[in-house]
């Protein structure tokens, strides 16, 4: 089965203590789509401007990503710029130029409306609602978010939580949403807001799932060198959704392993700027890291 992914398709200018790279292919949907494409066919919903480089379209095509829902509009592609501190965990946004993103309304081609697995990657909650409004009985819908929407679109986000199966957010966002310092208390509160599956990401410390089958602690793959963590969260959830769409059996039976695959794809993302390292990974490389994680967590 395929995964439908909506989110941002961006040009990212990224500064780390060691290097600076302008106008890389980025955006939540781009990272998630490439990650999911290792496991299942992907349909991308987004918008880019006329300045969007052809080689980035070619990259999506090499990953066999269906671009019939990608709008190309007059104007500039969404441009985001961020700078990392020496520890590579703290990041500040330097610039956000919305461009064609400002008036984006996601339109789903007829064939996309029956998609069973839907990932509402980081984008304004109103647009996430708009995609769901067009869907016909999806089987499993997961949403991601960011602190910006908790600050400026909380009411929309809270409404969205009632309509989705799974919600993925990082630990500081979980704290902001629930005012709970304890991650397990935060998970409980978020369940009460709607989603059956809640995943709190803790960066290089992995993630925690709370689900009808209980908790699962998912490790991050141990990396000695992080080049650029931009998009790691999107790669994690994209990889997880791609794996789930391809797997036989229930979501409950597969979600833990799906998280491990997501975690491994995220590790490749961190090893290069933008999507440079993710796109070089092969399925065999992913399987090797999954086996390593299995060994590391067995006792
Ligand atoms: P992450 O590192 O997982 O937080 O995701 C970073 C990605 O989010 C970058 O590729 C950005 O292009 C994208 N991004 C940054 N700001 C926004 C925003 N306001 N809406 C949607 N995507 C954004």
């Amino acid at each position: 089965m395929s995964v439908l992914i909506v989110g941002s398709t961006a040009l990212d200018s990224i500064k780390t203590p060691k290097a600076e790279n302008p106008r890389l292919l980025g955006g939540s949907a781009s990272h998630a789509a490439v990650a999911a494409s290792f496991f299942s066919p992907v349909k991308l919903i987004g918008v880019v401007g006329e300045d969007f480089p052809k080689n980035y379209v070619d990259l999506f095509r090499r990953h066999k990503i269906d671009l019939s829902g990608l709008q190309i509009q007059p104007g500039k592609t969404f441009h985001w710029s961020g700078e990392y501190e020496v520890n590579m965990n703290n990041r500040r946004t330097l610039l956000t130029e919305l461009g064609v993103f400002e008036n984006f309304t996601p339109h789903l081609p007829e064939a996309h409306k029956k998609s069973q697995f839907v990932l509402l990657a980081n984008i304004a909650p109103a647009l996430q609602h708009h995609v769901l409004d067009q869907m016909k009985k999806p089987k499993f819908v997961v949403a991601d978010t960011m602190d910006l929407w908790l600050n400026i679109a909380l009411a929309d986000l809270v409404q969205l939580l009632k309509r989705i199966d799974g919600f993925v957010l990082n630990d500081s966002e979980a704290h902001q949403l629930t005012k709970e310092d304890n991650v397990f208390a935060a998970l409980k509160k978020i369940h009460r807001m709607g989603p059956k599956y809640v995943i709190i990401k803790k960066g290089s410390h992995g993630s925690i799932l709370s689900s009808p089958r209980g908790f699962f602690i998912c490790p991050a793959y141990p990396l000695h060198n992080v080049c650029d963590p931009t998009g790691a969260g999107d790669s994690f959830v994209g990889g997880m959704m791609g794996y789930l769409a391809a797997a036989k059996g229930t979501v409950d039976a597969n979600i833990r392993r799906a998280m491990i695959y997501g975690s491994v794809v995220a590790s490749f993302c961190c090893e290069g700027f933008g999507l440079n390292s993710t796109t070089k990974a092969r399925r065999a490389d992913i399987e090797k890291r999954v086996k390593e994680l299995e060994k590391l967590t067995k006792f």
Side-chain angles (χ1 to χ4, degrees), residues 201-239:
K201 297 172 289 178
K202 295 159 77 69
S204 56
H205 300 293
S207 55
I208 301 178
L209 161 77
S210 176
S211 75
R213 279 205 187 173
F215 295 117
F216 176 58
I217 313 282
C218 175
Y221 181 83
L223 288 179
H224 295 262
N225 244 317
V226 171
C227 173
D228 167 23
T230 310
D234 310 311
S235 304
F236 166 76
V237 69

Side-chain angles (χ1 to χ4, degrees), residues 8 10-12 26-28 31 78 80 84 91 93 96 98 101 122-124 144 146 148-149 201 229-234:
S8 56
L11 299 175
D12 283 355
S28 57
H31 281 284
F78 175 53
W80 174 82
Y84 287 90
R91 173 176 85 190
T93 292
T96 305
L98 291 178
F101 210 40
N122 173 28
I123 197 172
D144 193 354
M146 74 185 291
L148 175 69
W149 312 122
K201 297 172 289 178
T230 310
D234 310 311

Side-chain angles (χ1 to χ4, degrees), residues 86-284:
V86 180
N87 69 13
M88 295 302 281
N89 283 324
N90 299 339
R91 173 176 85 190
R92 69 190 178 101
T93 292
L94 298 175
L95 171 115
T96 305
E97 290 172 336
L98 291 178
V100 292
F101 210 40
E102 195 162 2
N103 297 313
F104 174 48
T105 309
H107 296 300
L108 268 56
E110 213 41 51
H112 288 28
K113 294 182 182 172
K114 289 187 188 141
S115 300
Q116 298 281 287
F117 288 82
V118 181
L119 172 56
L120 308 170
N122 173 28
I123 197 172
L127 299 181
Q128 295 176 315
H129 275 287
H130 192 68
V131 169
L132 274 190
D133 291 343
Q134 296 170 69
M135 297 301 307
K136 291 179 183 151
K137 292 203 181 138
K139 181 173 166 194
F140 192 62
V141 180
V142 169
D144 193 354
T145 196
M146 74 185 291
D147 54 353
L148 175 69
W149 312 122
L150 291 162
N151 292 330
I152 68 166
L154 184 61
D156 283 348
L157 185 64
V158 168
Q159 282 306 316
L160 185 82
L161 294 183
K162 296 178 185 152
R163 303 182 69 188
I164 59 177
D165 303 291
F167 187 42
V168 179
L169 70 176
N170 68 32
D171 43 5
S172 61
E173 291 156 1
H175 171 76
Q176 194 179 340
L177 180 64
T178 62
K179 309 285 176 281
E180 290 288 352
D181 287 313
N182 179 293
V183 75
F184 297 102
L187 285 164
K188 200 170 169 183
K189 269 198 178 169
I190 300 170
H191 278 307
R192 279 201 221 115
M193 298 170 105
K196 247 166 93 178
Y197 301 81
V198 183
I199 296 173
I200 295 184
K201 297 172 289 178
K202 295 159 77 69
S204 56
H205 300 293
S207 55
I208 301 178
L209 161 77
S210 176
S211 75
R213 279 205 187 173
F215 295 117
F216 176 58
I217 313 282
C218 175
Y221 181 83
L223 288 179
H224 295 262
N225 244 317
V226 171
C227 173
D228 167 23
T230 310
D234 310 311
S235 304
F236 166 76
V237 69
M240 180 187 92
M241 287 300 276
Y243 185 87
L244 280 176
K248 289 198 181 82
T250 62
V251 166
D252 260 337
N254 294 317
I255 193 161
R256 294 172 172 216
R257 182 159 281 272
M259 286 172 68
I260 296 286
Y261 275 85
S263 191
V264 164
V265 181
S267 73
F268 286 107
C269 171
C270 291
E271 287 182 305
F273 269 96
L275 275 150
N276 290 351
S277 166
T278 316
T279 49
K280 284 195 193 94
R282 296 286 161 264
R283 183 67 193 255

